Amino acid sequence: MFDPAQPSIAVAYVVDPQGRLLLTWNDKWGAFTLPMTKLQSDQPAETPEQAGVRAASEVLGVPTRVVPGKASKFARGLQKSPRDGDIKDYQYNVVPVEVHPDFASHISRQPLVWAAIDKLQTGEYQPISKSVEALLRECIEWGWL
């Protein structure tokens, strides 16, 4: 259940045509993570889908969109905040996002990290943030993997 007092994060779940998952480096965490961002609460408030698209577009440098016919999923995760050390109940809105077809051949930001999902699941790629590990388990339950 959504709790407005807790941090609400949009996560862009971007899979390329080869079935690999987009990762990005997070300096604060010292690990690879999925593209994610806090939802902007300025009026009008940003939807999880808008924030997920924004997060993916920031990483890829091209317009993106929610995958047609796919719905966002909600997950929660207790994480120790690197900023203040408190345990926080993060609320993740995982949004299936794709590069807009008009821009698929225009991705120019390098390097992009596209990870084989099976190797992510076995822990072969490191360092991966704890939040990504937990979200991958959720994705399995949802039938996304």
Side-chain angles (χ1 to χ4, degrees):
M1 177 64 64
F2 178 76
D3 179 355
Q6 298 302 325
S8 189
I9 309 293
V11 180
Y13 185 84
V14 184
V15 178
D16 74 359
Q18 290 77 39
R20 300 172 301 172
L21 190 60
L22 178 64
L23 298 178
T24 187
W25 180 256
N26 186 309
D27 282 327
K28 290 181 191 176
W29 298 350
F32 286 97
T33 185
L34 299 169
M36 59 178 73
T37 188
K38 281 187 175 181
L39 272 70
Q40 295 177 352
S41 58
D42 302 345
Q43 293 300 322
E46 186 176 41
T47 67
E49 291 76 16
Q50 291 167 328
V53 164
R54 178 172 52 83
S57 294
E58 287 173 0
V59 172
L60 293 166
V62 295
T64 60
R65 66 182 186 183
V66 174
V67 176
K70 295 269 186 163
S72 301
K73 299 281 189 173
F74 181 80
R76 294 182 93 145
L78 295 176
Q79 296 285 328
K80 185 176 181 180
S81 171
R83 188 179 71 241
D84 57 23
D86 290 343
I87 300 294
K88 296 195 177 178
D89 181 10
Y90 286 93
Q91 301 176 110
Y92 297 103
N93 297 277
V94 185
V95 182
V97 177
E98 67 182 6
V99 174
H100 190 285
D102 292 348
F103 297 91
S105 64
H106 295 89
I107 297 173
S108 61
R109 291 215 173 141
Q110 296 297 327
L112 290 175
V113 178
W114 295 98
I117 294 171
D118 60 332
K119 291 182 179 181
L120 275 172
Q121 291 173 300
T122 62
E124 188 168 333
Y125 299 143
Q126 294 297 322
I128 300 295
S129 75
K130 297 293 181 199
S131 60
V132 168
E133 291 173 355
L135 288 170
L136 286 175
R137 287 190 295 276
E138 292 283 345
C139 289
I140 290 169
E141 288 183 29
W142 300 332
W144 287 13
L145 299 177

mmCIF file of all heavy atoms in Angstrom, residues 7-58:
data_model
loop_
_atom_site.group_PDB
_atom_site.id
_atom_site.type_symbol
_atom_site.label_atom_id
_atom_site.label_comp_id
_atom_site.label_asym_id
_atom_site.label_seq_id
_atom_site.Cartn_x
_atom_site.Cartn_y
_atom_site.Cartn_z
ATOM 1 N N PRO A 7 9.671 7.603 1.038
ATOM 2 C CA PRO A 7 10.267 7.954 -0.255
ATOM 3 C C PRO A 7 9.640 7.146 -1.399
ATOM 4 O O PRO A 7 9.526 5.940 -1.327
ATOM 5 C CB PRO A 7 11.738 7.570 -0.085
ATOM 6 C CG PRO A 7 11.957 7.487 1.385
ATOM 7 C CD PRO A 7 10.639 7.082 1.980
ATOM 8 N N SER A 8 9.221 7.850 -2.437
ATOM 9 C CA SER A 8 8.605 7.212 -3.593
ATOM 10 C C SER A 8 9.545 7.355 -4.784
ATOM 11 O O SER A 8 9.887 8.470 -5.183
ATOM 12 C CB SER A 8 7.250 7.842 -3.885
ATOM 13 O OG SER A 8 6.576 7.106 -4.865
ATOM 14 N N ILE A 9 9.958 6.220 -5.322
ATOM 15 C CA ILE A 9 10.969 6.163 -6.370
ATOM 16 C C ILE A 9 10.365 5.536 -7.626
ATOM 17 O O ILE A 9 9.706 4.500 -7.548
ATOM 18 C CB ILE A 9 12.175 5.296 -5.925
ATOM 19 C CG1 ILE A 9 12.703 5.718 -4.556
ATOM 20 C CG2 ILE A 9 13.255 5.270 -6.987
ATOM 21 C CD1 ILE A 9 13.321 7.072 -4.504
ATOM 22 N N ALA A 10 10.626 6.156 -8.769
ATOM 23 C CA ALA A 10 10.261 5.555 -10.053
ATOM 24 C C ALA A 10 11.498 4.859 -10.600
ATOM 25 O O ALA A 10 12.597 5.422 -10.607
ATOM 26 C CB ALA A 10 9.782 6.617 -11.036
ATOM 27 N N VAL A 11 11.317 3.626 -11.036
ATOM 28 C CA VAL A 11 12.404 2.814 -11.577
ATOM 29 C C VAL A 11 12.080 2.499 -13.026
ATOM 30 O O VAL A 11 11.006 1.981 -13.324
ATOM 31 C CB VAL A 11 12.551 1.494 -10.783
ATOM 32 C CG1 VAL A 11 13.672 0.645 -11.351
ATOM 33 C CG2 VAL A 11 12.758 1.783 -9.303
ATOM 34 N N ALA A 12 13.022 2.816 -13.919
ATOM 35 C CA ALA A 12 12.833 2.505 -15.338
ATOM 36 C C ALA A 12 13.383 1.109 -15.603
ATOM 37 O O ALA A 12 14.570 0.844 -15.405
ATOM 38 C CB ALA A 12 13.543 3.536 -16.209
ATOM 39 N N TYR A 13 12.518 0.226 -16.031
ATOM 40 C CA TYR A 13 12.885 -1.144 -16.371
ATOM 41 C C TYR A 13 12.976 -1.190 -17.895
ATOM 42 O O TYR A 13 11.961 -1.271 -18.581
ATOM 43 C CB TYR A 13 11.829 -2.103 -15.826
ATOM 44 C CG TYR A 13 12.143 -3.561 -16.009
ATOM 45 C CD1 TYR A 13 12.944 -4.241 -15.101
ATOM 46 C CD2 TYR A 13 11.636 -4.266 -17.091
ATOM 47 C CE1 TYR A 13 13.218 -5.580 -15.266
ATOM 48 C CE2 TYR A 13 11.908 -5.612 -17.267
ATOM 49 C CZ TYR A 13 12.705 -6.261 -16.350
ATOM 50 O OH TYR A 13 12.973 -7.588 -16.522
ATOM 51 N N VAL A 14 14.220 -1.083 -18.415
ATOM 52 C CA VAL A 14 14.442 -0.970 -19.855
ATOM 53 C C VAL A 14 15.196 -2.207 -20.336
ATOM 54 O O VAL A 14 16.314 -2.475 -19.881
ATOM 55 C CB VAL A 14 15.268 0.291 -20.198
ATOM 56 C CG1 VAL A 14 15.408 0.448 -21.706
ATOM 57 C CG2 VAL A 14 14.642 1.539 -19.574
ATOM 58 N N VAL A 15 14.579 -2.945 -21.246
ATOM 59 C CA VAL A 15 15.187 -4.144 -21.819
ATOM 60 C C VAL A 15 15.418 -3.884 -23.306
ATOM 61 O O VAL A 15 14.523 -3.410 -24.003
ATOM 62 C CB VAL A 15 14.287 -5.383 -21.606
ATOM 63 C CG1 VAL A 15 14.882 -6.624 -22.252
ATOM 64 C CG2 VAL A 15 14.057 -5.611 -20.117
ATOM 65 N N ASP A 16 16.637 -4.192 -23.778
ATOM 66 C CA ASP A 16 16.934 -3.974 -25.202
ATOM 67 C C ASP A 16 16.443 -5.157 -26.037
ATOM 68 O O ASP A 16 15.975 -6.170 -25.483
ATOM 69 C CB ASP A 16 18.427 -3.681 -25.413
ATOM 70 C CG ASP A 16 19.340 -4.887 -25.264
ATOM 71 O OD1 ASP A 16 18.877 -6.014 -24.972
ATOM 72 O OD2 ASP A 16 20.554 -4.720 -25.460
ATOM 73 N N PRO A 17 16.523 -5.066 -27.376
ATOM 74 C CA PRO A 17 16.026 -6.157 -28.228
ATOM 75 C C PRO A 17 16.725 -7.506 -27.992
ATOM 76 O O PRO A 17 16.173 -8.545 -28.316
ATOM 77 C CB PRO A 17 16.301 -5.644 -29.646
ATOM 78 C CG PRO A 17 16.280 -4.161 -29.520
ATOM 79 C CD PRO A 17 16.891 -3.888 -28.168
ATOM 80 N N GLN A 18 17.921 -7.489 -27.401
ATOM 81 C CA GLN A 18 18.635 -8.736 -27.095
ATOM 82 C C GLN A 18 18.269 -9.289 -25.718
ATOM 83 O O GLN A 18 18.838 -10.280 -25.267
ATOM 84 C CB GLN A 18 20.164 -8.520 -27.164
ATOM 85 C CG GLN A 18 20.690 -8.299 -28.566
ATOM 86 C CD GLN A 18 20.412 -6.888 -29.080
ATOM 87 O OE1 GLN A 18 20.503 -5.915 -28.356
ATOM 88 N NE2 GLN A 18 20.033 -6.802 -30.349
ATOM 89 N N GLY A 19 17.325 -8.640 -25.027
ATOM 90 C CA GLY A 19 16.879 -9.124 -23.724
ATOM 91 C C GLY A 19 17.779 -8.718 -22.565
ATOM 92 O O GLY A 19 17.711 -9.303 -21.488
ATOM 93 N N ARG A 20 18.612 -7.700 -22.752
ATOM 94 C CA ARG A 20 19.506 -7.233 -21.688
ATOM 95 C C ARG A 20 18.894 -6.025 -20.989
ATOM 96 O O ARG A 20 18.172 -5.244 -21.595
ATOM 97 C CB ARG A 20 20.872 -6.868 -22.265
ATOM 98 C CG ARG A 20 21.552 -8.046 -22.951
ATOM 99 C CD ARG A 20 22.807 -7.623 -23.675
ATOM 100 N NE ARG A 20 22.450 -6.607 -24.675
ATOM 101 C CZ ARG A 20 23.345 -5.927 -25.380
ATOM 102 N NH1 ARG A 20 24.637 -6.131 -25.216
ATOM 103 N NH2 ARG A 20 22.949 -5.017 -26.269
ATOM 104 N N LEU A 21 19.205 -5.879 -19.713
ATOM 105 C CA LEU A 21 18.632 -4.846 -18.867
ATOM 106 C C LEU A 21 19.584 -3.657 -18.763
ATOM 107 O O LEU A 21 20.788 -3.830 -18.563
ATOM 108 C CB LEU A 21 18.370 -5.430 -17.481
ATOM 109 C CG LEU A 21 17.568 -4.624 -16.481
ATOM 110 C CD1 LEU A 21 16.168 -4.325 -17.003
ATOM 111 C CD2 LEU A 21 17.480 -5.386 -15.167
ATOM 112 N N LEU A 22 19.033 -2.441 -18.884
ATOM 113 C CA LEU A 22 19.833 -1.221 -18.785
ATOM 114 C C LEU A 22 20.207 -0.948 -17.335
ATOM 115 O O LEU A 22 19.344 -0.916 -16.459
ATOM 116 C CB LEU A 22 19.049 -0.026 -19.354
ATOM 117 C CG LEU A 22 19.736 1.331 -19.275
ATOM 118 C CD1 LEU A 22 21.009 1.357 -20.131
ATOM 119 C CD2 LEU A 22 18.770 2.436 -19.710
ATOM 120 N N LEU A 23 21.499 -0.748 -17.107
ATOM 121 C CA LEU A 23 22.006 -0.353 -15.794
ATOM 122 C C LEU A 23 22.681 1.006 -15.909
ATOM 123 O O LEU A 23 23.106 1.413 -16.989
ATOM 124 C CB LEU A 23 23.037 -1.367 -15.277
ATOM 125 C CG LEU A 23 22.568 -2.787 -15.052
ATOM 126 C CD1 LEU A 23 23.732 -3.657 -14.595
ATOM 127 C CD2 LEU A 23 21.441 -2.839 -14.028
ATOM 128 N N THR A 24 22.816 1.665 -14.788
ATOM 129 C CA THR A 24 23.547 2.930 -14.722
ATOM 130 C C THR A 24 24.370 2.940 -13.440
ATOM 131 O O THR A 24 24.028 2.264 -12.473
ATOM 132 C CB THR A 24 22.577 4.130 -14.798
ATOM 133 O OG1 THR A 24 23.326 5.338 -14.902
ATOM 134 C CG2 THR A 24 21.657 4.189 -13.613
ATOM 135 N N TRP A 25 25.461 3.680 -13.445
ATOM 136 C CA TRP A 25 26.340 3.762 -12.277
ATOM 137 C C TRP A 25 25.825 4.834 -11.326
ATOM 138 O O TRP A 25 25.471 5.937 -11.759
ATOM 139 C CB TRP A 25 27.761 4.084 -12.702
ATOM 140 C CG TRP A 25 28.690 4.188 -11.542
ATOM 141 C CD1 TRP A 25 29.199 5.322 -10.987
ATOM 142 C CD2 TRP A 25 29.207 3.106 -10.769
ATOM 143 N NE1 TRP A 25 30.004 5.015 -9.919
ATOM 144 C CE2 TRP A 25 30.027 3.663 -9.759
ATOM 145 C CE3 TRP A 25 29.062 1.729 -10.814
ATOM 146 C CZ2 TRP A 25 30.694 2.878 -8.819
ATOM 147 C CZ3 TRP A 25 29.728 0.946 -9.879
ATOM 148 C CH2 TRP A 25 30.530 1.520 -8.903
ATOM 149 N N ASN A 26 25.784 4.522 -10.038
ATOM 150 C CA ASN A 26 25.397 5.482 -9.016
ATOM 151 C C ASN A 26 26.608 5.732 -8.119
ATOM 152 O O ASN A 26 26.999 4.852 -7.342
ATOM 153 C CB ASN A 26 24.210 4.948 -8.203
ATOM 154 C CG ASN A 26 23.680 5.959 -7.226
ATOM 155 O OD1 ASN A 26 24.423 6.547 -6.439
ATOM 156 N ND2 ASN A 26 22.376 6.163 -7.247
ATOM 157 N N ASP A 27 27.205 6.915 -8.246
ATOM 158 C CA ASP A 27 28.404 7.253 -7.470
ATOM 159 C C ASP A 27 28.166 7.190 -5.968
ATOM 160 O O ASP A 27 29.031 6.709 -5.228
ATOM 161 C CB ASP A 27 28.911 8.655 -7.834
ATOM 162 C CG ASP A 27 29.669 8.688 -9.142
ATOM 163 O OD1 ASP A 27 30.348 7.696 -9.473
ATOM 164 O OD2 ASP A 27 29.587 9.714 -9.841
ATOM 165 N N LYS A 28 27.012 7.688 -5.510
ATOM 166 C CA LYS A 28 26.725 7.713 -4.070
ATOM 167 C C LYS A 28 26.699 6.304 -3.484
ATOM 168 O O LYS A 28 27.126 6.082 -2.357
ATOM 169 C CB LYS A 28 25.389 8.395 -3.799
ATOM 170 C CG LYS A 28 25.379 9.877 -4.040
ATOM 171 C CD LYS A 28 24.001 10.425 -3.702
ATOM 172 C CE LYS A 28 23.862 11.852 -4.169
ATOM 173 N NZ LYS A 28 22.502 12.356 -3.933
ATOM 174 N N TRP A 29 26.150 5.359 -4.236
ATOM 175 C CA TRP A 29 26.014 3.992 -3.735
ATOM 176 C C TRP A 29 27.234 3.142 -4.050
ATOM 177 O O TRP A 29 27.383 2.048 -3.506
ATOM 178 C CB TRP A 29 24.775 3.319 -4.320
ATOM 179 C CG TRP A 29 23.483 3.984 -3.964
ATOM 180 C CD1 TRP A 29 23.281 4.983 -3.047
ATOM 181 C CD2 TRP A 29 22.207 3.693 -4.521
ATOM 182 N NE1 TRP A 29 21.957 5.331 -3.014
ATOM 183 C CE2 TRP A 29 21.278 4.566 -3.901
ATOM 184 C CE3 TRP A 29 21.760 2.799 -5.466
ATOM 185 C CZ2 TRP A 29 19.927 4.542 -4.211
ATOM 186 C CZ3 TRP A 29 20.410 2.780 -5.778
ATOM 187 C CH2 TRP A 29 19.513 3.641 -5.153
ATOM 188 N N GLY A 30 28.070 3.591 -4.973
ATOM 189 C CA GLY A 30 29.234 2.804 -5.370
ATOM 190 C C GLY A 30 28.829 1.487 -6.016
ATOM 191 O O GLY A 30 29.469 0.465 -5.805
ATOM 192 N N ALA A 31 27.752 1.543 -6.822
ATOM 193 C CA ALA A 31 27.232 0.315 -7.423
ATOM 194 C C ALA A 31 26.430 0.653 -8.674
ATOM 195 O O ALA A 31 26.006 1.796 -8.875
ATOM 196 C CB ALA A 31 26.335 -0.426 -6.431
ATOM 197 N N PHE A 32 26.215 -0.380 -9.489
ATOM 198 C CA PHE A 32 25.321 -0.242 -10.628
ATOM 199 C C PHE A 32 23.888 -0.404 -10.127
ATOM 200 O O PHE A 32 23.622 -1.156 -9.189
ATOM 201 C CB PHE A 32 25.615 -1.301 -11.694
ATOM 202 C CG PHE A 32 26.875 -1.006 -12.457
ATOM 203 C CD1 PHE A 32 28.069 -1.615 -12.102
ATOM 204 C CD2 PHE A 32 26.874 -0.100 -13.515
ATOM 205 C CE1 PHE A 32 29.237 -1.336 -12.785
ATOM 206 C CE2 PHE A 32 28.032 0.182 -14.199
ATOM 207 C CZ PHE A 32 29.216 -0.434 -13.844
ATOM 208 N N THR A 33 22.995 0.316 -10.768
ATOM 209 C CA THR A 33 21.597 0.269 -10.399
ATOM 210 C C THR A 33 20.751 0.431 -11.657
ATOM 211 O O THR A 33 21.273 0.669 -12.740
ATOM 212 C CB THR A 33 21.277 1.373 -9.357
ATOM 213 O OG1 THR A 33 19.932 1.228 -8.929
ATOM 214 C CG2 THR A 33 21.505 2.748 -9.918
ATOM 215 N N LEU A 34 19.470 0.271 -11.511
ATOM 216 C CA LEU A 34 18.549 0.578 -12.603
ATOM 217 C C LEU A 34 18.357 2.093 -12.644
ATOM 218 O O LEU A 34 18.504 2.764 -11.614
ATOM 219 C CB LEU A 34 17.204 -0.106 -12.364
ATOM 220 C CG LEU A 34 17.241 -1.633 -12.301
ATOM 221 C CD1 LEU A 34 15.920 -2.182 -11.796
ATOM 222 C CD2 LEU A 34 17.574 -2.205 -13.648
ATOM 223 N N PRO A 35 18.026 2.659 -13.801
ATOM 224 C CA PRO A 35 17.727 4.094 -13.820
ATOM 225 C C PRO A 35 16.535 4.363 -12.901
ATOM 226 O O PRO A 35 15.500 3.710 -13.011
ATOM 227 C CB PRO A 35 17.354 4.366 -15.283
ATOM 228 C CG PRO A 35 17.960 3.243 -16.063
ATOM 229 C CD PRO A 35 17.932 2.063 -15.139
ATOM 230 N N MET A 36 16.710 5.273 -11.958
ATOM 231 C CA MET A 36 15.632 5.583 -11.024
ATOM 232 C C MET A 36 15.743 7.017 -10.560
ATOM 233 O O MET A 36 16.804 7.622 -10.645
ATOM 234 C CB MET A 36 15.612 4.612 -9.848
ATOM 235 C CG MET A 36 16.854 4.540 -9.012
ATOM 236 S SD MET A 36 16.706 3.399 -7.605
ATOM 237 C CE MET A 36 16.778 1.812 -8.386
ATOM 238 N N THR A 37 14.620 7.525 -10.078
ATOM 239 C CA THR A 37 14.558 8.903 -9.607
ATOM 240 C C THR A 37 13.404 9.050 -8.634
ATOM 241 O O THR A 37 12.443 8.291 -8.695
ATOM 242 C CB THR A 37 14.394 9.869 -10.796
ATOM 243 O OG1 THR A 37 14.513 11.208 -10.337
ATOM 244 C CG2 THR A 37 13.067 9.676 -11.508
ATOM 245 N N LYS A 38 13.513 10.031 -7.746
ATOM 246 C CA LYS A 38 12.375 10.357 -6.892
ATOM 247 C C LYS A 38 11.308 11.017 -7.739
ATOM 248 O O LYS A 38 11.609 11.754 -8.673
ATOM 249 C CB LYS A 38 12.792 11.323 -5.779
ATOM 250 C CG LYS A 38 13.504 10.673 -4.642
ATOM 251 C CD LYS A 38 13.702 11.676 -3.538
ATOM 252 C CE LYS A 38 14.309 11.005 -2.331
ATOM 253 N NZ LYS A 38 14.497 11.967 -1.233
ATOM 254 N N LEU A 39 10.064 10.755 -7.387
ATOM 255 C CA LEU A 39 8.960 11.439 -8.060
ATOM 256 C C LEU A 39 8.964 12.902 -7.646
ATOM 257 O O LEU A 39 9.125 13.216 -6.460
ATOM 258 C CB LEU A 39 7.617 10.811 -7.681
ATOM 259 C CG LEU A 39 7.168 9.642 -8.550
ATOM 260 C CD1 LEU A 39 8.007 8.423 -8.347
ATOM 261 C CD2 LEU A 39 5.728 9.355 -8.302
ATOM 262 N N GLN A 40 8.823 13.789 -8.620
ATOM 263 C CA GLN A 40 8.747 15.215 -8.326
ATOM 264 C C GLN A 40 7.356 15.522 -7.797
ATOM 265 O O GLN A 40 6.352 15.160 -8.410
ATOM 266 C CB GLN A 40 9.044 16.028 -9.578
ATOM 267 C CG GLN A 40 10.462 15.853 -10.060
ATOM 268 C CD GLN A 40 10.743 16.602 -11.358
ATOM 269 O OE1 GLN A 40 9.853 17.145 -11.996
ATOM 270 N NE2 GLN A 40 12.001 16.626 -11.735
ATOM 271 N N SER A 41 7.318 16.191 -6.655
ATOM 272 C CA SER A 41 6.019 16.460 -6.025
ATOM 273 C C SER A 41 5.504 17.863 -6.307
ATOM 274 O O SER A 41 4.447 18.238 -5.812
ATOM 275 C CB SER A 41 6.118 16.240 -4.515
ATOM 276 O OG SER A 41 7.125 17.078 -3.974
ATOM 277 N N ASP A 42 6.252 18.677 -7.091
ATOM 278 C CA ASP A 42 5.760 20.007 -7.465
ATOM 279 C C ASP A 42 4.422 19.851 -8.169
ATOM 280 O O ASP A 42 4.176 18.851 -8.831
ATOM 281 C CB ASP A 42 6.740 20.708 -8.402
ATOM 282 C CG ASP A 42 8.124 20.872 -7.798
ATOM 283 O OD1 ASP A 42 8.257 20.701 -6.577
ATOM 284 O OD2 ASP A 42 9.062 21.158 -8.555
ATOM 285 N N GLN A 43 3.591 20.854 -8.061
ATOM 286 C CA GLN A 43 2.283 20.792 -8.717
ATOM 287 C C GLN A 43 2.409 21.189 -10.173
ATOM 288 O O GLN A 43 3.068 22.173 -10.465
ATOM 289 C CB GLN A 43 1.283 21.692 -7.998
ATOM 290 C CG GLN A 43 0.954 21.202 -6.598
ATOM 291 C CD GLN A 43 0.355 19.807 -6.594
ATOM 292 O OE1 GLN A 43 -0.438 19.449 -7.463
ATOM 293 N NE2 GLN A 43 0.732 18.999 -5.629
ATOM 294 N N PRO A 44 1.866 20.472 -11.117
ATOM 295 C CA PRO A 44 1.158 19.211 -10.880
ATOM 296 C C PRO A 44 2.160 18.091 -10.587
ATOM 297 O O PRO A 44 3.239 18.051 -11.168
ATOM 298 C CB PRO A 44 0.429 18.967 -12.198
ATOM 299 C CG PRO A 44 1.274 19.640 -13.229
ATOM 300 C CD PRO A 44 1.887 20.836 -12.534
ATOM 301 N N ALA A 45 1.798 17.226 -9.665
ATOM 302 C CA ALA A 45 2.679 16.139 -9.255
ATOM 303 C C ALA A 45 2.964 15.211 -10.429
ATOM 304 O O ALA A 45 2.110 14.970 -11.283
ATOM 305 C CB ALA A 45 2.038 15.358 -8.106
ATOM 306 N N GLU A 46 4.169 14.694 -10.453
ATOM 307 C CA GLU A 46 4.610 13.777 -11.503
ATOM 308 C C GLU A 46 4.086 12.373 -11.209
ATOM 309 O O GLU A 46 4.112 11.919 -10.072
ATOM 310 C CB GLU A 46 6.138 13.784 -11.508
ATOM 311 C CG GLU A 46 6.806 13.017 -12.593
ATOM 312 C CD GLU A 46 8.316 13.189 -12.539
ATOM 313 O OE1 GLU A 46 8.907 13.182 -11.437
ATOM 314 O OE2 GLU A 46 8.905 13.327 -13.618
ATOM 315 N N THR A 47 3.627 11.671 -12.239
ATOM 316 C CA THR A 47 3.196 10.287 -12.062
ATOM 317 C C THR A 47 4.424 9.378 -12.066
ATOM 318 O O THR A 47 5.489 9.760 -12.579
ATOM 319 C CB THR A 47 2.251 9.839 -13.185
ATOM 320 O OG1 THR A 47 2.987 9.786 -14.415
ATOM 321 C CG2 THR A 47 1.046 10.757 -13.310
ATOM 322 N N PRO A 48 4.305 8.165 -11.525
ATOM 323 C CA PRO A 48 5.421 7.230 -11.601
ATOM 324 C C PRO A 48 5.857 6.975 -13.044
ATOM 325 O O PRO A 48 7.054 6.855 -13.324
ATOM 326 C CB PRO A 48 4.874 5.958 -10.948
ATOM 327 C CG PRO A 48 3.824 6.441 -10.010
ATOM 328 C CD PRO A 48 3.200 7.622 -10.709
ATOM 329 N N GLU A 49 4.900 6.904 -13.949
ATOM 330 C CA GLU A 49 5.237 6.653 -15.354
ATOM 331 C C GLU A 49 6.036 7.812 -15.940
ATOM 332 O O GLU A 49 7.019 7.595 -16.654
ATOM 333 C CB GLU A 49 3.964 6.404 -16.172
ATOM 334 C CG GLU A 49 3.267 5.101 -15.843
ATOM 335 C CD GLU A 49 2.483 5.120 -14.531
ATOM 336 O OE1 GLU A 49 2.207 6.206 -13.975
ATOM 337 O OE2 GLU A 49 2.147 4.030 -14.041
ATOM 338 N N GLN A 50 5.642 9.029 -15.641
ATOM 339 C CA GLN A 50 6.389 10.191 -16.126
ATOM 340 C C GLN A 50 7.809 10.197 -15.564
ATOM 341 O O GLN A 50 8.770 10.467 -16.286
ATOM 342 C CB GLN A 50 5.666 11.492 -15.747
ATOM 343 C CG GLN A 50 4.380 11.709 -16.489
ATOM 344 C CD GLN A 50 3.539 12.833 -15.881
ATOM 345 O OE1 GLN A 50 3.547 13.067 -14.668
ATOM 346 N NE2 GLN A 50 2.797 13.524 -16.746
ATOM 347 N N ALA A 51 7.949 9.900 -14.289
ATOM 348 C CA ALA A 51 9.276 9.884 -13.667
ATOM 349 C C ALA A 51 10.125 8.744 -14.219
ATOM 350 O O ALA A 51 11.331 8.916 -14.439
ATOM 351 C CB ALA A 51 9.141 9.759 -12.148
ATOM 352 N N GLY A 52 9.535 7.576 -14.455
ATOM 353 C CA GLY A 52 10.282 6.454 -15.032
ATOM 354 C C GLY A 52 10.796 6.769 -16.426
ATOM 355 O O GLY A 52 11.942 6.464 -16.773
ATOM 356 N N VAL A 53 9.955 7.395 -17.220
ATOM 357 C CA VAL A 53 10.353 7.811 -18.567
ATOM 358 C C VAL A 53 11.476 8.847 -18.474
ATOM 359 O O VAL A 53 12.469 8.789 -19.209
ATOM 360 C CB VAL A 53 9.138 8.347 -19.360
ATOM 361 C CG1 VAL A 53 9.557 9.122 -20.589
ATOM 362 C CG2 VAL A 53 8.212 7.191 -19.729
ATOM 363 N N ARG A 54 11.356 9.778 -17.544
ATOM 364 C CA ARG A 54 12.396 10.800 -17.355
ATOM 365 C C ARG A 54 13.722 10.148 -16.970
ATOM 366 O O ARG A 54 14.782 10.477 -17.520
ATOM 367 C CB ARG A 54 11.947 11.806 -16.290
ATOM 368 C CG ARG A 54 12.986 12.874 -15.987
ATOM 369 C CD ARG A 54 12.424 13.974 -15.072
ATOM 370 N NE ARG A 54 11.802 13.510 -13.852
ATOM 371 C CZ ARG A 54 12.466 13.202 -12.738
ATOM 372 N NH1 ARG A 54 13.781 13.263 -12.700
ATOM 373 N NH2 ARG A 54 11.805 12.810 -11.655
ATOM 374 N N ALA A 55 13.690 9.191 -16.048
ATOM 375 C CA ALA A 55 14.918 8.522 -15.606
ATOM 376 C C ALA A 55 15.596 7.789 -16.765
ATOM 377 O O ALA A 55 16.820 7.866 -16.929
ATOM 378 C CB ALA A 55 14.613 7.555 -14.466
ATOM 379 N N ALA A 56 14.809 7.084 -17.571
ATOM 380 C CA ALA A 56 15.385 6.357 -18.714
ATOM 381 C C ALA A 56 15.945 7.323 -19.750
ATOM 382 O O ALA A 56 17.038 7.104 -20.294
ATOM 383 C CB ALA A 56 14.332 5.443 -19.347
ATOM 384 N N SER A 57 15.220 8.399 -20.023
ATOM 385 C CA SER A 57 15.663 9.371 -21.016
ATOM 386 C C SER A 57 16.954 10.062 -20.582
ATOM 387 O O SER A 57 17.817 10.347 -21.413
ATOM 388 C CB SER A 57 14.576 10.410 -21.279
ATOM 389 O OG SER A 57 13.456 9.800 -21.883
ATOM 390 N N GLU A 58 17.099 10.312 -19.272
ATOM 391 C CA GLU A 58 18.331 10.922 -18.765
ATOM 392 C C GLU A 58 19.538 10.025 -19.034
ATOM 393 O O GLU A 58 20.612 10.499 -19.401
ATOM 394 C CB GLU A 58 18.212 11.209 -17.275
ATOM 395 C CG GLU A 58 17.314 12.377 -16.941
ATOM 396 C CD GLU A 58 17.073 12.545 -15.453
ATOM 397 O OE1 GLU A 58 17.593 11.753 -14.637
ATOM 398 O OE2 GLU A 58 16.334 13.490 -15.093
#
